Amino acid sequence: MLNFIKETESVWDNLRNTKKPIVLYGMGNGADKIIDWCEANSVKVSGIFATDEFVRYQGFRGLIVEKYSDIITKFGSEILIVIAFASERPEVLARFKELSDLHETVAPHLPLFPEKELVSNGWLSKNEERIAKVYELLEDEKSKEVFACTLNYKLSGKLKYLFACETKREDDLCEVFSWCDEERYLDLGAYNGDTVDEFLRLTDNKSQRIVAVEPDRRNARKLRAKAEELVKQGINVEVKECGIGDTVGVMGFSDSGGRQSPFVEASKAQVQIETIDDLADENGFTYIKFDVEGFEKQALMGGEKTINEFAPKLFVASYHYDEDLLRLPLLIKQINPLYKIYLRKHPYVPAWELNYLARV
């Protein structure tokens, strides 16, 4: 019995059963997925609105995109708002919170990549033993709170669970990890260098070695430009334009030019794949950040030797698949049982920026 699961009705059952007008907030891919589900399940969407500056009273999937004030005039305050887009911007998150204080508001958990089954009552029942095992291995009460809130949110779509457990990323990195002047950092999914900057802030611009890995050619170009500037300042930064996996080879890649360029079901470009163990020198790494768009499991497996021998601090994204919430901490423990594992949720709606932090 998972006593920390407080919700029993899924967000989708709520949409089926509600008597309130269902109103979407936002357009785009998320709204398309929600409307597709509603149409397939004979659930009526009564309206759609956007932030005022984006409203041109344009059409979207047979509905006119209106302002929030138009929706309230039409339906009153007894509505069910369905947030249909993702954001980490503070002003947008504040707007989500404001709406959730005024109306019943949900943000359905949607898959980032194809997955056999998302969190549901059936998923919780099927995985009960593993869920309990992960919950018990988490190192502190905050981690257990984040774990419980995440599962309750993914089932119900209720924003209160995300707001209740969020913390600031750099605060967590300072609280869970200790830092020195001789850090050797491997940044997997370095994007344009923003997490290199984060690392340098944490270490007061001191480190022994930084290896920044980015497979997307456009992002890698920006990353190289940043690295060149840092090298001029005496900071040792190497850029590797490749992917990370469990074996060396070549894989298809989306090459989309954004922060979320995946290997999963992608074939636009071919990218060289390396492993952590191949990138490590005789001194290994002291800190590895994993945000490799659904390839975290493979990346960990390709670093077993390094993780065993050097026990680096690990920061592992765990939101690309629901299964990652369970398999990643169990895999880390399997590779090196000495690790203490923490879970933190950083501000984002939906439940993105969910990360495991591990240290010995």
Side-chain angles (χ1 to χ4, degrees):
M1 181 69 178
L2 302 172
N3 295 325
F4 53 84
I5 302 298
K6 305 301 182 184
E7 296 296 326
T8 56
E9 183 181 53
S10 76
V11 63
W12 306 109
D13 286 337
N14 186 8
L15 292 179
R16 283 192 187 96
N17 298 331
T18 188
K19 303 301 182 185
K20 299 176 182 178
I22 295 173
V23 179
L24 267 59
Y25 178 22
M27 302 167 284
N29 185 51
D32 273 324
K33 288 180 180 180
I34 293 166
I35 292 174
D36 286 346
W37 181 91
C38 288
E39 290 179 349
N41 289 273
S42 301
V43 172
K44 181 182 177 182
V45 177
S46 297
I48 184 168
F49 70 98
T51 306
D52 285 2
E53 56 262 36
F54 297 115
V55 173
R56 302 292 183 271
Y57 294 97
Q58 66 271 42
F60 182 84
R61 296 291 296 268
L63 298 164
I64 299 298
V65 180
E66 302 178 272
K67 295 181 179 180
Y68 168 73
S69 57
D70 299 324
I71 293 293
I72 297 303
T73 298
K74 187 181 296 185
F75 299 110
S77 61
E78 288 299 307
I79 54 177
L80 173 51
I81 294 177
V82 182
I83 292 173
F85 67 103
S87 184
E88 62 180 335
R89 293 168 53 189
E91 68 274 17
V92 177
L93 297 180
R95 178 60 171 156
F96 290 167
K97 177 68 165 58
E98 179 185 3
L99 289 171
S100 68
D101 288 341
L102 294 171
H103 314 281
E104 183 180 4
T105 303
V106 295
H109 167 56
L110 299 169
L112 274 167
F113 301 120
E115 194 165 7
K116 287 182 180 179
E117 187 180 2
L118 298 178
V119 172
S120 64
N121 285 308
W123 187 94
L124 292 169
S125 178
K126 185 187 305 181
N127 292 287
E128 183 172 345
E129 186 176 334
R130 295 168 72 217
I131 293 168
K133 184 176 182 179
V134 172
Y135 184 80
E136 288 306 317
L137 70 77
L138 292 172
E139 189 64 26
D140 64 356
E141 289 304 314
K142 182 62 183 178
S143 298
K144 293 179 178 181
E145 177 193 14
V146 173
F147 188 79
C149 282
T150 297
L151 290 176
N152 279 291
Y153 158 73
K154 287 190 173 187
L155 181 63
S156 70
K158 294 180 179 179
L159 295 175
K160 67 179 183 179
Y161 291 109
L162 297 184
F163 296 144
C165 69
E166 288 177 343
T167 49
K168 293 182 179 179
R169 175 170 162 143
E170 290 193 29
D171 288 350
D172 292 327
L173 288 168
C174 290
E175 177 190 352
V176 175
F177 298 146
S178 59
W179 305 93
C180 69
D181 295 347
E182 301 299 318
E183 299 287 346
R184 298 181 299 279
Y185 174 38
L186 178 59
D187 189 341
L188 304 179
Y191 185 45
N192 62 6
D194 57 346
T195 44
V196 171
D197 285 338
E198 174 185 75
F199 170 75
L200 291 172
R201 287 194 296 273
L202 292 166
T203 57
D204 195 25
N205 285 355
K206 299 181 180 70
S207 63
Q208 191 177 95
R209 184 188 186 204
I210 299 173
V211 179
V213 177
E214 174 55 50
D216 190 288
R217 58 190 170 87
R218 297 175 185 84
N219 295 339
R221 191 180 306 128
K222 298 173 185 175
L223 183 60
R224 283 196 190 90
K226 175 176 285 291
E228 288 171 4
E229 292 303 313
L230 292 173
V231 168
K232 291 176 184 176
Q233 299 171 35
I235 297 171
N236 180 10
V237 184
E238 308 164 47
V239 174
K240 302 285 188 181
E241 188 176 336
C242 64
I244 293 292
D246 52 354
T247 58
V248 173
V250 176
M251 282 195 66
F253 182 61
S254 67
D255 196 39
S256 63
R259 184 179 287 275
Q260 296 168 333
S261 295
F263 289 97
V264 180
E265 292 194 346
S267 59
K268 182 179 177 182
Q270 295 288 304
V271 171
Q272 178 67 33
I273 302 296
E274 303 290 344
T275 70
I276 291 171
D277 288 341
D278 287 323
L279 293 177
D281 60 18
E282 66 277 7
N283 296 312
F285 295 103
T286 62
Y287 175 47
I288 306 176
K289 185 220 80 183
F290 298 72
D291 194 348
V292 288
E293 302 307 319
F295 244 56
E296 283 75 15
K297 174 188 173 184
Q298 293 88 334
L300 282 164
M301 292 172 65
E304 286 192 45
K305 180 177 180 294
T306 300
I307 293 169
N308 248 319
E309 183 176 351
F310 298 100
K313 299 180 283 287
L314 303 177
F315 181 100
V316 187
S318 59
Y319 59 90
H320 298 105
Y321 293 103
D322 284 0
E323 175 66 14
D324 282 348
L325 195 61
L326 307 181
R327 68 183 173 190
L328 295 181
L330 295 175
L331 178 57
I332 292 168
K333 277 287 194 180
Q334 177 186 320
I335 294 171
N336 188 333
L338 297 178
Y339 271 101
K340 298 177 181 180
I341 299 179
Y342 303 78
L343 180 64
R344 295 294 187 264
K345 170 74 181 69
H346 304 126
Y348 219 121
V349 170
W352 300 355
E353 280 303 313
L354 183 69
N355 303 296
Y356 279 111
L357 286 67
R359 62 175 175 84
V360 294

